[in-house]
Amino acid sequence: GPLPFGLEVAEPQPRATTHPPVYILNGADRIEVDEVTVDGKAVTILLPGFKNRIDATLDGDTLRGTLTMIKAGAKQQAIPFAATRGATWRFTPPDAAHVPPGGDVAGRWAVTFTDQDGKSYPAVGEFRQQGAEVTGTFLTPTGDHRYLAGELRERRLRLSKFDGGHPFLYEATLGADGTLQGQYWSGLAWTERFTAHRDDAASLGEAEQATQMKAGATRLDFRFPDLGGVFVSLSDPFYRGKVVLVTLAGSWCPNCHDEAAFLAPLYREYRGKGLEIVALMFEQFGDFERAAEATHRFRARYLVDYQTLIAGISDKDDAATRLPQLNGVFAFPTTIFIDRAGVVRRLHTGFSGPATGEHYARLTADFRHTIDALLAEPGPTPPLPTPPR
């Protein structure tokens, strides 16, 4: 069905040499898009930090065209796109907005998603409701669904999100027993069923600790090329005696975008104290050149100054194979904290971004606490010089 999101275009400025920015709107989220090209009636929008794009034709007050999504293995997914000037509602136009909610979904929910293969996993839903309007997100073991917005009318819940990376659509019914039964779609190829019940104590349990070092392993060992093709390893002298944060990421991964938005300024604040950050990028492309180009866009989006290495393709099994010291890779991002002696001290699976509110605040404070503690530890004692013979 239709997946609505907000698209706002700033007024053009006199004598401006570039097109005014476009903003993608999802609830409280406002994403600036500054790569917009207008050639006559043809409009091209390159989505920030991703390789996805919108190509459309302007016809009066309507833009119509195609959203092209780059998927795993560099496959393209084409989704019809249309935008109408002045349409400020999400699902229900003003002439039908009198339909009452028929219920209330505000609060915390224990959720179970079941995928197309019949595999289930837990999630936590957190929603706010004002009249019929609903905003919120789902927290899952691999990260959150970011900013969702929609409505509840006649006990029918509809939510959506498009942030440049993933188009998500949700429909559910609020039953008489107070439970939610619904379905979730991601793009054109993936769908999952979900059920939910209210639970103020709903939790993901120990999901954030899913990735661990294998028994007996204490160090992370890898050798991957940077964007210039120069191979980098944690055993290089540059990293000796420093605290290193390694993140397994990808420019296609929205939760990795949230983490990069946090890590980029954190690195500028802490690098003088002895912190280094290395992002191992697992991209949709199997060839180095296109993977490096995607990573360049990602770096530019968040003003990333720390090291980014091309580590592999966007596949958890591939990532686990390239990092055999881990018991597996279960989510992008996965964050690994390494002390001054090169010993892995902590691993964190997934990332709860700003859409999760207090969860994001707690997580980022916890990351800072871990880094501060590791930086406060003394570095390894240098070996004594060998006496002359």
Side-chain angles (χ1 to χ4, degrees):
L3 189 161
F5 66 96
L7 193 68
E8 180 182 296
V9 182
E11 290 290 336
Q13 299 298 313
R15 296 183 296 278
T17 57
T18 59
H19 192 276
V22 169
Y23 298 91
I24 294 176
L25 311 177
N26 294 283
D29 196 27
R30 183 180 176 88
I31 302 170
E32 182 175 344
V33 185
D34 55 11
E35 293 182 275
V36 181
T37 303
V38 179
D39 184 3
K41 294 185 178 297
V43 179
T44 300
I45 302 173
L46 301 181
L47 297 158
F50 299 97
K51 291 288 287 180
N52 307 325
R53 60 188 290 145
I54 293 172
D55 296 283
T57 300
L58 181 63
D59 183 9
D61 284 338
T62 302
L63 271 174
R64 195 173 300 277
T66 302
L67 162 67
T68 302
M69 302 283 296
I70 306 299
K71 309 300 285 186
K75 294 179 181 177
Q76 295 189 358
Q77 189 178 97
I79 302 177
F81 164 84
T84 303
R85 191 195 308 266
T88 57
W89 63 90
R90 203 159 183 99
F91 284 96
T92 302
D95 59 359
H98 62 278
V99 179
D104 185 355
V105 296
R108 190 172 178 89
W109 296 72
V111 185
T112 300
F113 282 95
T114 303
D115 67 21
Q116 295 166 228
D117 301 322
K119 183 179 179 181
S120 296
Y121 62 92
V124 174
E126 292 194 340
F127 306 116
R128 295 168 294 281
Q129 184 172 341
Q130 185 172 6
E133 294 186 2
V134 178
T135 57
T137 195
F138 289 100
L139 293 86
T140 79
T142 60
D144 66 283
H145 286 200
R146 305 181 96 189
Y147 292 88
L148 309 181
E151 62 181 29
L152 178 71
R153 295 190 188 275
E154 292 187 322
R155 307 186 75 83
R156 180 191 183 194
L157 176 66
R158 291 188 290 178
L159 299 167
S160 64
K161 176 206 79 172
F162 176 65
D163 54 11
H166 284 172
F168 286 175
L169 177 67
Y170 312 74
E171 283 208 14
T173 300
L174 180 62
D177 61 354
T179 62
L180 283 169
Q181 304 275 344
Q183 195 160 359
Y184 144 67
W185 295 267
S186 173
L188 299 178
W190 189 255
T191 185
E192 297 178 357
R193 294 178 288 107
F194 68 91
T195 60
H197 64 273
R198 290 185 184 276
D199 184 353
D200 290 340
S203 169
L204 296 176
E206 300 300 317
E208 294 176 342
Q209 284 77 49
T211 294
Q212 294 295 322
M213 301 294 286
K214 287 182 179 177
T218 61
R219 296 174 180 269
L220 197 65
D221 185 30
F222 57 76
R223 187 171 180 267
F224 299 122
D226 65 13
L227 302 191
V230 177
F231 279 83
V232 174
S233 169
L234 286 182
S235 61
D236 292 343
F238 177 75
Y239 296 104
R240 191 171 299 151
K242 295 182 180 179
V243 172
V244 183
L245 185 155
V246 176
T247 177
L248 282 55
S251 65
W252 51 272
C253 160
N255 294 126
C256 301
H257 282 241
D258 286 336
E259 188 185 49
F262 165 68
L263 291 182
L266 180 86
Y267 178 62
R268 288 189 285 273
E269 178 184 349
Y270 275 87
R271 62 183 169 186
K273 302 176 184 178
L275 174 71
E276 288 299 329
I277 298 177
V278 181
L280 306 183
M281 305 297 286
F282 293 85
E283 291 296 331
Q284 305 280 43
F285 308 97
D287 63 280
F288 178 85
E289 288 74 17
R290 286 196 291 175
E293 181 189 355
T295 301
H296 270 300
R297 289 182 56 80
F298 182 78
R299 289 178 62 91
R301 170 65 177 167
Y302 298 104
L303 303 178
V304 169
D305 293 331
Y306 52 81
Q307 185 67 269
T308 47
L309 308 179
I310 304 301
I313 59 173
S314 55
D315 179 86
K316 295 170 190 172
D317 292 336
D318 178 67
T321 299
R322 293 172 184 271
L323 297 166
Q325 302 88 4
L326 304 180
N327 66 342
V329 176
F330 305 100
F332 294 101
T334 292
T335 311
I336 303 166
F337 298 83
I338 302 171
D339 68 17
R340 293 183 185 273
V343 176
V344 173
R345 298 284 292 274
R346 178 185 174 187
L347 299 94
H348 183 91
T349 303
F351 189 82
S352 297
T356 68
E358 62 182 33
H359 304 280
Y360 172 74
R362 284 201 302 267
L363 178 62
T364 53
D366 191 35
F367 273 25
R368 283 178 172 271
H369 177 76
T370 298
I371 292 168
D372 285 335
L374 293 177
L375 288 171
E377 296 178 354
T381 304
L384 294 174
T386 303
R389 294 183 179 180

